[in-house]
Amino acid sequence: MTHPAANAERILADPRWPEGVGLIALGDVDSTNVEARRRASAGETGPVWIMAERQLAGRARRGRSWVSEPGNLYASLLLPLDGRASLAGTLPLVAALAVHRAIGHFLPYADRRLRLKWPNDVLIDGAKVNGILLEAVDEPSGLSIIIGCGINCRHHPDNPAYPATHLSAEGADVAAAGLMPYLAAEMAEALILWDDGNGFAAIRQLWMDRAQGIGKPIRVNLDNDTLTGLFAGLDSEGYLMLERPDGQLSRISAGDLFFK
């Protein structure tokens, strides 16, 4: 196995790596998001990626665990947030777009196989291939956002509720270290386009161009309710718009989306 420091040196030498963005490559960590938070508390301001070979306590959205054995990509971007904190709610869509684009460099027939599922899942032929978890860090030095990204490169968890896959099984035989420069480059480009939230309209359109199931029947599980209807796209703030059977639109900020 390549030493993490050697991996970092090789990744940073890739011409795609964005200027001004750091990289810290580690072996085993509890989670890259937790490590990024620790470093922010110690004075690190970023932008810097924290990458690990394995997570011992990986976490997913809504408090779920994330299987994190060696072979997949586990990385978190610690990013200073210069704009209005309220605009950070659109960043999951930015991150999903970046992951989609990074995978698209390697996946055969990506234009017809690769789709986005609200808010930040990337699907290959309908099966989930990633996980994204965003967390805020408020330190005396300022507010930062941690964008945690897990991409299944060599293996995937079994979960009947959420069909999953991994890249090598889909014809995209790329190691985590090979994928990392593409992820960093696409994230940097998407963040420039996002422009502290001012460019979200462009991000929204790019996201919807790649979306799975717009206009189709869906079910959204909320904490205390379940809604059904048609997926009517995203509103100007990135909320899911659900057209109910009576024609009314429901605006949803968080929930688990299923295609019927």
Side-chain angles (χ1 to χ4, degrees), residues 25-239:
L26 304 170
D28 289 355
V29 299
D30 41 7
S31 93
T32 56
N33 270 31
V34 170
E35 180 65 22
R37 183 179 292 274
R38 279 193 291 263
R39 290 178 183 260
S41 297
E44 175 66 66
T45 57
V48 61
W49 283 94
I50 313 294
M51 184 181 182
E53 292 180 352
R54 182 173 65 159
Q55 296 183 127
L56 303 179
R59 293 172 297 135
R61 200 169 57 89
R62 298 169 75 85
R64 302 183 180 101
S65 62
W66 181 261
V67 177
S68 307
E69 290 304 309
N72 291 345
L73 187 152
Y74 312 111
S76 296
L77 175 63
L78 176 62
L79 181 74
L81 188 65
D82 299 324
R84 289 177 290 157
S86 61
L87 296 175
T90 60
L91 277 172
L93 303 170
V94 178
L97 179 63
V99 171
H100 180 288
R101 286 174 150 181
I103 292 173
H105 288 281
F106 299 94
L107 182 70
Y109 308 107
D111 57 336
R112 67 170 186 255
R113 302 179 64 200
L114 202 57
R115 292 290 182 268
L116 291 170
K117 173 177 171 282
W118 184 84
N120 51 28
D121 288 347
V122 179
L123 308 179
I124 300 176
D125 298 330
K128 180 175 176 175
V129 75
N130 78 308
I132 292 173
L133 178 63
L134 278 79
E135 299 179 286
V137 180
D138 195 0
E139 295 291 337
S141 57
L143 180 66
S144 297
I145 294 293
I146 299 169
I147 304 176
C149 299
I151 302 176
N152 299 336
C153 295
R154 302 298 191 204
H155 53 82
H156 67 270
D158 291 323
N159 186 341
Y162 295 93
T165 189
H166 58 278
L167 296 182
S168 62
E170 303 294 342
D173 191 15
V174 56
L179 181 58
M180 189 66 222
Y182 289 84
L183 174 61
E186 295 293 357
M187 190 72 74
E189 183 175 327
L191 287 167
I192 290 170
L193 182 61
W194 180 68
D195 187 24
D196 291 329
N198 297 309
F200 179 65
I203 293 290
R204 172 182 175 273
Q205 187 58 57
L206 289 169
W207 194 99
M208 289 203 300
D209 289 344
R210 294 157 175 78
Q212 177 95 340
I214 289 183
K216 300 297 180 64
I218 58 171
R219 182 180 85 252
V220 182
N221 291 350
L222 310 178
D223 287 338
N224 299 305
D225 198 4
T226 297
L227 302 179
T228 60
L230 300 180
F231 182 15
L234 308 179
D235 74 358
S236 61
E237 296 181 66
Y239 286 48

